[in-house]
Every structure is written in C-alpha cells, then in structure tokens.
Amino acid sequence: MTDEPPADGPDSDPADDRMPAEPATDRDPTRDPPQPMTDDTDRTTTDSDRTETSDDWEPADSSGFDRPSTDDLRGLLDRVGLAALSLLAVVAGWGFYTQSGSAIRTWFDPAYQSVALAVFNLAVLLVALAGVTHQLRRIRATESGGSE
C-alpha cells in the first residue's frame, strides 16, 4: 500500500493534488460571519449618518424643503380661509357699527341720540366680551387637555 492519495482517474497528475483550487483560510465559514471587504473602523457614526425609521418620514425634495402632506395643506388652507373671513368680518362689523350710528342720528330725535348710541355701544361691548370669554375658555380647556 502506498501513502499517496487516490487519483481521480487514470490520467490525473499528482502535482494537481498539491495545489488547492481556493486559498486556504483559517476561518470556518459555517461558524464565522463573512468579513467586509473594506475597513470601516476609523469611521464614526453621527446623527446625520443615521436614517429615520418612522413610517411617516418622507424624503426632502431638491429645493431643501419637506413636501407637506395633504393634511398639512388642508390645515393651511383652513387657516388662510379663517384669516380671510375674519378680516371680512372685521371690515363688515366696522361698517355696520358706523352705519348704525348714522341711522340712530337720522331716525332718533337729537335729544335721544346719545342715549340710543350708548345702548347700542353697550350691546356691542357685551357681545364682544362674551366672545372673548368663550375663546379664553376654549383655549384654557385645550391647554389643560380637557373638553367643554
């Protein structure tokens, strides 16, 4: 018996058996995970390197501003509409107030005009105070987390 390994066939060369097809490594591929091809040990991870993992994250567009969602646009349009209607209400309210004073001066006898204007101004003041009180209660209820 010889100590030579068995040949694969009658024409196999014993020199082919001496050089393995792949270089030998010291690690066991079934036990050790594969190592990266590059060395990243000198790189430090910063907050800018990390990405967000939340579901509602959207990438920024090329202009540098985040693209607003549909709910954000609807809320913005609601606020713009509210501001426009509030401005219209202030202008109309001022017009009503001045025209009411002119109507009182026209319809009432000069002796009673000051009394009628005082009653009208008192009514406007009471309505404004009721509105301010209502809004302050709503704001305080919202800040404290309660509901009316």
Side-chain angles (χ1 to χ4, degrees):
M1 278 203 147
T2 62
D3 290 333
E4 292 181 73
D8 289 340
D11 296 334
S12 66
D13 186 13
D16 289 339
D17 292 336
R18 285 185 244 135
M19 183 170 286
E22 293 184 7
T25 60
D26 292 340
R27 70 177 183 89
D28 182 9
T30 59
R31 298 174 105 198
D32 296 333
Q35 300 297 321
M37 299 288 290
T38 60
D39 185 16
D40 289 337
T41 57
D42 61 335
R43 183 170 184 240
T44 58
T45 304
T46 61
D47 288 339
S48 63
D49 291 334
R50 295 185 187 103
T51 59
E52 293 184 26
T53 58
S54 65
D55 294 335
D56 59 349
W57 180 82
E58 294 180 11
D61 60 1
S62 61
S63 66
F65 295 106
D66 288 340
R67 183 175 173 197
S69 68
T70 304
D71 290 336
D72 292 339
L73 287 176
R74 184 175 297 129
L76 179 65
L77 287 175
D78 287 343
R79 286 178 177 80
V80 168
L82 178 63
L85 290 172
S86 297
L87 180 63
L88 182 65
V90 166
V91 170
W94 182 256
F96 174 76
Y97 182 77
T98 56
Q99 294 302 321
S100 298
S102 296
I104 288 172
R105 286 185 193 89
T106 301
W107 293 340
F108 284 85
D109 187 60
Y112 299 109
Q113 286 180 2
S114 61
V115 174
L117 286 172
V119 169
F120 177 69
N121 286 335
L122 180 63
V124 170
L125 177 65
L126 291 176
V127 168
L129 286 176
V132 168
T133 303
H134 176 72
Q135 286 301 108
L136 286 174
R137 284 183 182 163
R138 285 182 60 185
I139 291 170
R140 286 182 182 163
T142 301
E143 288 177 352
S144 66
S147 63
E148 271 190 19

